[in-house]
Amino acid sequence: MTADPAQTRTRDRGDGAADGNTAAWRTRSDLASAGRTATGLLLVSADADSVAAAGGHAERAGAYAAALEAAGVGATDRVVVALSGDGELAGAQWAQAAAEVARAAASVGPRGRLRLHHALDSLKATTLVITPTGAMDLLARLHLEFLLDPLDLGLRHIILTGEIASRRTMPHLAAEFEAEVTEVYCSPFTAVPLGWRSSEPAPLTLFDPGSVGLASLEKDESLVPPYAAGLAEVVVSGPVAGAVAGATLRTGQVVRPAAGDAVPAPEHTVGDHVLVRGVWLSLNRIERALGKIDGVSGWELGVSRQGTLDAVALTVTFSRESLVGNPMWKSRVRQALQALTPITIDVEISPQASESAPRGVVNDARGHHLGRDRTAIAR
């Protein structure tokens, strides 16, 4: 994968100088230790592996209000925010902004679908802010378990955020609920809205084009429009997006830009974090945790989306046959994972012992995660 010089702008020439900007490039892994020195209001991911300053209150509030207005939410609407994962950080801010834009708003957090249905009905909600898989799971349960008509909820707007949606999620929800469906792209570090789209083929409409850009996967270089065909990583800058002054943050989210100036919605992820149920799961932390357990020689993380929700399983290979059927060793692996993330990870043990099993393999049946080494991914 070779970057086209006409499509890139080098941040650092390698001789200590720069092209007018000494911006540092960072990834999510670089934010792991930020909590020790960051000041002010901090936004901490669900696994405490990413810490970012919240940025200005007025700017954040304005971004949420702009996202609601872009989705068509108005003075007669009643908004319920039901976000899980890292998006739960922003539940109160979505609700606060909605209280200014709409008639009423509440953040109910993640909850079972029956209780979510009860909350929507009790509050007479017309707008639901939720993850794509959460919305699809609610729809499936309305049909298959509750035997209820989705139209009876009276939703007029559905706002999706926090995950990579499966294909045809937006038109499917729009048809079933007879509602306007909007996908809002939020910073993966602060959950602040950065752009939106109203249909699946549409690119993102950015609220502040200067805070969102595309970068080469191979080098720390920003791409400039018109973008060439191929893969590119979304990068963000500015305090609201989660970056410190002068820094460019790689989001780990990958797009396929078409010719032109538009930034598409993310379709893939790359790097040492995998997005599962709205939570960024650190592969490095899994590796370190398993490295402390005697006898673990290899592991593979499998992610799938069977039906509506993401499922994740870790298959561990032991180096000795005596450990394969040992329930205590399996329990040690399970407990190590529980200490890392709020996501439930099933633990499976390979039936064959091996001293040279592959380590750190990701098998993403959803087709989302492209690999840990961004430089090895072909455009």
Side-chain angles (χ1 to χ4, degrees), residues 215-346:
S216 165
L217 290 175
E218 187 179 48
K219 297 187 261 185
D220 286 345
E221 294 178 340
S222 294
L223 303 178
V224 294
Y227 299 117
L231 298 174
E233 186 171 358
V234 180
V235 293
V236 297
S237 58
V240 174
V244 298
T248 298
L249 277 178
R250 287 184 175 272
T251 63
Q253 297 169 319
V254 177
V255 301
R256 295 182 181 273
D261 299 353
V263 175
E267 297 181 41
H268 304 284
T269 57
V270 70
D272 287 321
H273 287 79
V274 179
L275 185 59
V276 181
R277 291 199 175 191
V279 172
W280 290 89
L281 185 59
S282 171
L283 301 175
N284 288 335
R285 293 190 71 195
I286 293 177
E287 189 131 46
R288 289 195 297 269
L290 295 181
K292 298 176 181 178
I293 300 176
D294 177 50
V296 173
S297 61
W299 57 274
E300 176 181 304
L301 187 75
V303 188
S304 62
R305 187 172 286 176
Q306 300 174 351
T308 54
L309 298 175
D310 290 341
V312 58
L314 184 78
T315 301
V316 173
T317 300
F318 288 119
S319 59
R320 303 190 296 275
E321 291 286 350
S322 61
L323 300 179
V324 171
N326 190 320
M328 185 177 73
W329 249 249
K330 182 176 181 178
S331 177
R332 288 184 65 185
V333 173
R334 184 182 295 111
Q335 291 173 5
L337 296 177
Q338 289 174 346
L340 297 181
T341 175
I343 297 297
T344 299
I345 301 177
D346 294 331

Side-chain angles (χ1 to χ4, degrees), residues 130-278:
I130 194 169
T131 62
T133 59
M136 291 296 288
D137 190 59
L138 172 63
L139 175 61
R141 293 176 186 270
L142 288 176
H143 280 310
L144 300 177
E145 294 184 24
F146 309 154
L147 303 181
L148 297 172
D149 189 338
L151 297 180
D152 290 342
L153 280 175
L155 292 175
R156 297 200 297 257
H157 310 284
I158 299 175
I159 298 175
L160 307 177
T161 189
E163 293 177 322
I164 296 175
S166 299
R167 293 194 181 278
R168 295 200 55 77
T169 292
M170 294 180 71
H172 190 183
L173 292 172
E176 290 281 355
F177 287 97
E178 292 188 2
E180 294 182 43
V181 179
T182 304
E183 183 177 7
V184 175
Y185 173 66
C186 294
S187 166
F189 309 104
T190 64
V192 171
L194 301 176
W196 63 278
R197 63 174 178 169
S198 58
S199 66
E200 198 169 273
L204 295 174
T205 298
L206 300 175
F207 298 119
D208 178 9
S211 65
V212 182
L214 300 181
S216 165
L217 290 175
E218 187 179 48
K219 297 187 261 185
D220 286 345
E221 294 178 340
S222 294
L223 303 178
V224 294
Y227 299 117
L231 298 174
E233 186 171 358
V234 180
V235 293
V236 297
S237 58
V240 174
V244 298
T248 298
L249 277 178
R250 287 184 175 272
T251 63
Q253 297 169 319
V254 177
V255 301
R256 295 182 181 273
D261 299 353
V263 175
E267 297 181 41
H268 304 284
T269 57
V270 70
D272 287 321
H273 287 79
V274 179
L275 185 59
V276 181
R277 291 199 175 191

